[in-house]
Amino acid sequence: MLMPELQRFIVLKHGWMSNEEFLSGMSLSQILPGVNSTNTSIFVGQRLRGAIGAFVACSAMLLGP
């Protein structure tokens, strides 16, 4: 999933977080090692549901392919 699609899905479609929150998570994911979309999904999962949400988000991004 590309970052603009991820942003549309999280911010515009579901309203799970504000655009500013998403952009701060995206900027954090760009300085961490790894794939940006996976890092961002872990950030969003953690913000929404804590450690379990981060684990589920990471699993969903890695087990699908």
Side-chain angles (χ1 to χ4, degrees), residues 2-21:
L2 298 172
M3 293 306 285
E5 294 174 11
L6 192 61
Q7 182 179 14
R8 259 185 252 118
F9 184 78
I10 292 168
V11 175
L12 298 176
K13 185 174 179 184
H14 291 286
W16 289 336
M17 59 179 38
S18 69
N19 196 40
E20 291 79 20
E21 288 175 318

Side-chain angles (χ1 to χ4, degrees), residues 3 24-37 39-40:
M3 293 306 285
S24 69
M26 189 175 75
S27 63
L28 177 65
S29 73
Q30 289 178 344
I31 61 172
L32 295 174
V35 182
N36 291 340
S37 57
N39 290 341
T40 303

